[in-house]
Amino acid sequence: MLAKIKGVKLLTEYKNPNYKVKLECPDGGELIIRFDYTYSREIFMPLKVYYNGVYKGAKLAWYTDEVEKVTVQSFLEQIAIKINKKYNFDLKEHEFKVDKP
Protein backbone atom coordinates (compact mmCIF):
# COMPACT_ATOMS: atom_id res chain seq x y z
CA MET A 1 0.00 0.00 0.00
CA LEU A 2 1.48 3.32 -1.09
CA ALA A 3 -0.78 5.58 0.97
CA LYS A 4 0.11 6.19 4.61
CA ILE A 5 -2.52 5.77 7.30
CA LYS A 6 -2.88 8.97 9.34
CA GLY A 7 -5.95 8.12 11.44
CA VAL A 8 -8.44 5.30 11.94
CA LYS A 9 -11.72 4.62 13.66
CA LEU A 10 -13.64 1.37 14.07
CA LEU A 11 -17.38 1.54 14.74
CA THR A 12 -18.82 -1.78 15.92
CA GLU A 13 -22.28 -0.61 17.01
CA TYR A 14 -23.76 -1.19 13.53
CA LYS A 15 -24.98 -4.47 12.04
CA ASN A 16 -21.79 -4.53 9.99
CA PRO A 17 -18.54 -3.11 11.36
CA ASN A 18 -17.81 0.35 9.93
CA TYR A 19 -14.33 1.67 9.36
CA LYS A 20 -13.15 5.22 8.85
CA VAL A 21 -9.61 5.89 7.69
CA LYS A 22 -7.65 9.00 6.78
CA LEU A 23 -4.81 8.41 4.33
CA GLU A 24 -1.99 10.52 2.95
CA CYS A 25 -1.61 9.68 -0.73
CA PRO A 26 1.77 9.51 -2.52
CA ASP A 27 0.95 12.80 -4.30
CA GLY A 28 0.39 14.50 -0.94
CA GLY A 29 -3.40 14.45 -1.23
CA GLU A 30 -5.72 13.43 1.58
CA LEU A 31 -8.07 10.47 1.10
CA ILE A 32 -10.80 9.76 3.65
CA ILE A 33 -12.74 6.53 3.30
CA ARG A 34 -15.70 5.19 5.26
CA PHE A 35 -16.37 1.55 4.49
CA ASP A 36 -17.95 -1.51 6.03
CA TYR A 37 -17.67 -5.27 6.02
CA THR A 38 -20.79 -7.03 4.77
CA TYR A 39 -21.12 -10.40 6.49
CA SER A 40 -23.67 -11.81 4.03
CA ARG A 41 -21.32 -11.29 1.04
CA GLU A 42 -18.05 -11.39 3.01
CA ILE A 43 -16.70 -8.27 1.30
CA PHE A 44 -15.61 -4.76 2.16
CA MET A 45 -17.66 -2.00 0.55
CA PRO A 46 -16.84 1.72 0.36
CA LEU A 47 -19.65 3.91 1.71
CA LYS A 48 -18.17 7.42 1.41
CA VAL A 49 -14.99 8.64 -0.21
CA TYR A 50 -13.45 12.13 0.01
CA TYR A 51 -10.32 13.21 -1.82
CA ASN A 52 -8.87 16.58 -0.78
CA GLY A 53 -12.24 17.55 0.65
CA VAL A 54 -14.18 16.64 -2.53
CA TYR A 55 -16.93 14.03 -2.07
CA LYS A 56 -16.54 11.15 -4.54
CA GLY A 57 -19.62 9.16 -3.50
CA ALA A 58 -18.81 5.50 -2.87
CA LYS A 59 -16.37 5.38 -5.78
CA LEU A 60 -12.83 4.32 -4.97
CA ALA A 61 -11.70 2.37 -8.06
CA TRP A 62 -10.34 5.54 -9.69
CA TYR A 63 -7.74 5.66 -6.91
CA THR A 64 -7.02 1.97 -6.41
CA ASP A 65 -6.66 1.30 -10.15
CA GLU A 66 -4.51 4.34 -11.00
CA VAL A 67 -2.35 4.72 -7.89
CA GLU A 68 -2.32 1.54 -5.79
CA LYS A 69 -2.67 -0.88 -8.75
CA VAL A 70 -4.94 -3.21 -6.74
CA THR A 71 -8.67 -3.88 -6.56
CA VAL A 72 -10.89 -1.89 -4.23
CA GLN A 73 -11.59 -5.08 -2.26
CA SER A 74 -7.89 -5.83 -1.79
CA PHE A 75 -7.12 -2.24 -0.79
CA LEU A 76 -9.91 -2.06 1.80
CA GLU A 77 -9.00 -5.50 3.14
CA GLN A 78 -5.39 -4.38 3.72
CA ILE A 79 -6.63 -1.35 5.64
CA ALA A 80 -9.18 -3.37 7.65
CA ILE A 81 -6.54 -5.91 8.70
CA LYS A 82 -4.44 -3.11 10.18
CA ILE A 83 -7.41 -1.49 11.92
CA ASN A 84 -8.70 -4.82 13.26
CA LYS A 85 -5.25 -5.58 14.65
CA LYS A 86 -5.05 -2.16 16.34
CA TYR A 87 -8.46 -2.60 17.99
CA ASN A 88 -8.00 -6.36 18.61
CA PHE A 89 -11.20 -6.97 16.61
CA ASP A 90 -12.06 -10.32 15.01
CA LEU A 91 -14.69 -10.15 12.26
CA LYS A 92 -15.80 -13.76 12.70
CA GLU A 93 -16.23 -13.46 16.48
CA HIS A 94 -18.44 -10.39 16.17
CA GLU A 95 -20.64 -11.53 13.29
CA PHE A 96 -24.15 -10.19 13.66
CA LYS A 97 -26.51 -13.07 14.39
CA VAL A 98 -30.22 -12.90 13.61
CA ASP A 99 -32.43 -15.10 15.77
CA LYS A 100 -34.55 -17.28 13.53
CA PRO A 101 -38.06 -18.16 14.73
Side-chain angles (χ1 to χ4, degrees), residues 10-18 89 94:
L10 174 62
L11 307 167
T12 57
E13 61 268 15
Y14 298 100
K15 177 181 175 183
N16 296 316
N18 274 240
F89 180 75
H94 294 86

Side-chain angles (χ1 to χ4, degrees), residues 49-60:
V49 178
Y50 294 87
Y51 182 71
N52 288 334
V54 178
Y55 181 58
K56 300 287 189 176
K59 296 178 178 153
L60 185 58

Side-chain angles (χ1 to χ4, degrees), residues 13 23-24 26-27 30 34-36 45-46 51 55 58 61-62 67 69 71 80-81 85 90:
E13 61 268 15
L23 302 161
E24 182 181 326
D27 66 0
E30 181 181 81
R34 175 123 183 225
F35 64 101
D36 74 352
M45 296 286 296
Y51 182 71
Y55 181 58
W62 60 270
V67 179
K69 307 290 189 221
T71 64
I81 287 170
K85 188 174 183 177
D90 184 345

Side-chain angles (χ1 to χ4, degrees), residues 3-53:
K4 294 179 183 172
I5 296 175
K6 294 298 180 180
V8 297
K9 192 170 197 178
L10 174 62
L11 307 167
T12 57
E13 61 268 15
Y14 298 100
K15 177 181 175 183
N16 296 316
N18 274 240
Y19 301 85
K20 186 174 181 181
V21 63
K22 181 188 228 181
L23 302 161
E24 182 181 326
C25 301
D27 66 0
E30 181 181 81
L31 184 65
I32 298 173
I33 308 167
R34 175 123 183 225
F35 64 101
D36 74 352
Y37 178 77
T38 306
Y39 286 109
S40 61
R41 296 178 60 199
E42 297 184 341
I43 60 171
F44 293 96
M45 296 286 296
L47 302 171
K48 294 180 180 180
V49 178
Y50 294 87
Y51 182 71
N52 288 334

